[in-house]
Amino acid sequence: MWQLLHKSRQSPFQIIILGFLLVILTGSILLMLPLSTREGIVTPFLDALFTSTSAVCVTGLVIHDTATYWSEFGQLIIILLIQIGGLGVVTVAGAFAILSGRRIGLMQRSTMQEAIAAPHVGGIVRLTGFILKTALAVELLGAALLFPVFCKEFGLIKGAWYALFHSISAFCNAGFDLMGIKAPFSSLTDYAAQPVVSVVIALLIVVGGIGFLTWEDIRTNRLSFHKYRMQSKVILTVTAVLILIPAIYFFFFEFAGKPIGERVLLSVFQSITPRTAGFNTADLTAMSETGQSVITILMLIGGSPGSTAGGMKTTTLAVLLASALAVFRRRENPHFFNRRVSNETVSQAATILMMYLILFLTGGLVISKIEEIPVLTCLFETASAIGTVGLSLGITPRLHWISHLILIGLMFFGRVGGLTLIFAALSNTQGTNARLPQERITVG
């Protein structure tokens, strides 16, 4: 991978896409090996490709139950793919180069900057080191906190493996789990009232989902919120709102019949996990259509830039809302915390929203037509795929191969990002400063 970075004349966006494709293909080949399954059989290429794409794109949608179909070797491959996908293919490649003492040129630094959504090239090597150290520390801490619960239930060795697997999967917002030994595709429903598992997994999801640049801001400025970058302030504010408001809805309308302690855990967890983790402690099929629709919206929004999460991103939502507010107030530019947002950023946010909605709706409608399944159910799955979430209403394993290909494409799009794909495709086109005559058009 680093040779690709070092010698390629491709644009940074093209290198990012090629890197993800290379890792997905390699993972698919490894998962096809008989050694990767418990029954020692060769997994069909499409099934292996779907699982590898879901792991690298940190989604969590699966065709086969992770615990009962894949062997320990297969599970190891999956968690390695999750780790690479969560941190970013280019970031991992850069880390190996740094550890081996290789020189990192300007082209490689530029690619690393685009991969982690850093504001500038300067300090990118130091930031990469911070990302790796933070990820390792948080994942090990999460595993240590989960270990007593899983050790008591599964024994020392298996408990340690379960703790590490779920900690990495949660921090990387992947949603893969090994609880199928209790009931296939059951996720964490057995731990709905278990505070340690529910709280630790939820915290890992949030820590991984708000982004490494935000954590660097917190490390540098501590509790001095006014010193944070505007982006960090927006991310933290929007994240808090997107956790609080859905949790209140779930508390009063979806889990009203549960004991108060379990009710709080269920509400908060189901508010956090759609962005974009994929674990669930409640039976999603038993929720009302309104509840499922709320989760669908949260899945489309996703996490934050420069994080392990996918989706449209919290900052995209914030920019669009601020832009609408600026129009209502007849202001030229939206702003946050006394800082103006450029028109280019607003245009990019609107483009991203349009792309996500078109692909989300088109994918859902096509799958509904092919499979003859209710549209809302299919839209839930496509939102989960393009948001790289992994929550499911149980239809993914029994879909037609065409539907699986659609979900694979949506997962890849959701992880790599719409603008990355556009910039990669248009990298050789020449821009122009020429401006055409303007004419007014009425909207709204």
Side-chain angles (χ1 to χ4, degrees):
M1 176 63 194
W2 191 250
Q3 293 300 320
L4 178 65
L5 280 173
H6 186 67
K7 297 180 179 181
S8 177
R9 295 185 178 181
Q10 305 295 327
S11 72
F13 304 103
Q14 291 171 332
I15 292 174
I16 292 170
I17 292 173
L18 289 174
F20 270 97
L21 289 174
L22 180 62
V23 174
I24 288 172
L25 182 60
T26 303
S28 302
I29 294 172
L30 291 173
L31 290 175
M32 288 179 67
L33 299 174
L35 182 62
S36 296
T37 63
R38 292 197 177 276
E39 297 183 2
I41 60 175
V42 176
T43 300
F45 174 71
L46 184 58
D47 290 8
L49 177 65
F50 189 98
T51 304
S52 180
T53 304
S54 183
V56 175
C57 297
V58 291
T59 305
L61 287 175
V62 293
I63 297 176
H64 303 290
D65 184 80
T66 308
T68 57
Y69 182 84
W70 302 106
S71 65
E72 283 73 15
F73 176 78
Q75 293 169 11
L76 177 62
I77 296 300
I78 289 172
I79 203 63
L80 288 175
L81 294 175
I82 289 171
Q83 186 73 88
I84 293 171
L87 295 179
V89 175
V90 174
T91 302
V92 173
F96 279 110
I98 294 170
L99 293 175
S100 63
R102 295 188 182 184
R103 180 180 176 275
I104 301 178
L106 183 60
M107 178 61 181
Q108 292 78 46
R109 291 171 187 261
S110 177
T111 305
M112 293 166 68
Q113 176 200 3
E114 295 294 344
I116 59 178
H120 43 70
V121 175
I124 199 68
V125 174
R126 178 188 56 80
L127 180 59
T128 300
F130 170 75
I131 290 173
L132 295 174
K133 292 175 183 177
T134 301
L136 180 62
V138 172
E139 288 170 353
L140 289 177
L141 177 60
L145 294 173
L146 292 172
F147 176 71
V149 177
F150 291 148
C151 179
K152 182 178 179 181
E153 189 170 356
F154 302 110
L156 183 64
I157 303 299
K158 195 172 184 179
W161 170 240
Y162 271 46
L164 182 62
F165 186 99
H166 290 92
S167 179
I168 295 174
S169 184
F171 176 75
C172 291
N173 281 222
F176 279 80
D177 69 86
L178 300 177
M179 296 304 166
I181 56 173
K182 299 184 176 183
F185 308 105
S186 61
S187 192
L188 301 177
T189 51
D190 275 4
Y191 298 92
Q194 219 292 340
V196 174
V197 173
S198 293
V199 172
V200 170
I201 294 293
L203 287 175
L204 286 169
I205 294 168
V206 173
V207 170
I210 65 174
F212 294 104
L213 291 174
T214 303
W215 280 113
E216 187 192 36
D217 232 351
I218 295 173
R219 184 192 64 167
T220 302
N221 299 304
R222 306 296 179 183
L223 298 179
S224 300
F225 186 77
H226 66 281
K227 295 182 180 179
Y228 291 1
R229 302 183 188 93
M230 178 188 71
Q231 177 168 298
S232 298
K233 294 178 181 178
V234 171
I235 287 172
L236 292 172
T237 303
V238 174
T239 298
V241 171
L242 289 177
I243 292 174
L244 180 62
I245 294 179
I248 293 174
Y249 165 77
F250 291 138
F251 183 85
F252 286 106
F253 299 105
E254 296 294 337
F255 307 121
K258 301 289 185 180
I260 188 67
E262 182 178 353
R263 190 175 170 187
V264 171
L265 291 175
L266 282 167
S267 301
V268 174
F269 195 94
Q270 264 56 236
S271 178
I272 290 173
T273 192
R275 311 191 16 259
T276 58
F279 293 104
N280 58 285
T281 56
D283 182 2
L284 301 180
T285 60
M287 296 179 69
S288 67
E289 286 191 356
T290 303
Q292 293 173 359
S293 299
V294 170
I295 290 178
T296 300
I297 294 171
L298 292 174
M299 289 193 294
L300 287 173
I301 295 171
S304 302
S307 71
T308 61
M312 191 174 64
K313 301 296 188 297
T314 53
T315 48
T316 303
L317 173 66
V319 168
L320 292 171
L321 292 177
S323 178
L325 188 61
V327 172
F328 297 154
R329 294 180 174 180
R330 296 184 177 275
R331 292 184 176 179
E332 184 176 355
N333 295 101
H335 66 274
F336 301 106
F337 302 100
N338 297 318
R339 292 292 185 273
R340 180 170 52 88
V341 178
S342 69
N343 290 329
E344 180 185 9
T345 302
V346 175
S347 298
Q348 290 178 350
T351 302
I352 291 170
L353 174 64
M354 182 191 69
M355 292 172 65
Y356 269 82
L357 288 179
I358 290 175
L359 291 174
F360 152 69
L361 291 171
T362 303
L365 292 173
V366 172
I367 292 176
S368 176
K369 185 65 176 179
I370 293 173
E371 309 289 345
E372 297 184 352
I373 295 175
V375 172
L376 289 179
T377 301
C378 295
L379 289 176
F380 190 96
E381 303 294 309
T382 55
S384 183
I386 200 169
T388 70
V389 182
L391 294 176
S392 175
L393 296 181
I395 68 171
T396 296
R398 52 190 175 88
L399 293 178
H400 192 269
W401 66 270
I402 297 178
S403 300
H404 284 158
L405 285 177
I406 293 173
L407 293 178
I408 287 173
L410 292 176
M411 288 189 289
F412 186 78
F413 176 91
R415 182 65 184 113
V416 173
L419 290 181
T420 299
L421 290 171
I422 290 175
F423 293 153
L426 303 178
S427 60
N428 294 324
T429 60
Q430 297 294 324
T432 177
N433 292 323
R435 303 179 70 182
L436 296 173
Q438 178 177 294
E439 186 170 344
R440 185 179 180 85
I441 183 171
T442 303
V443 297

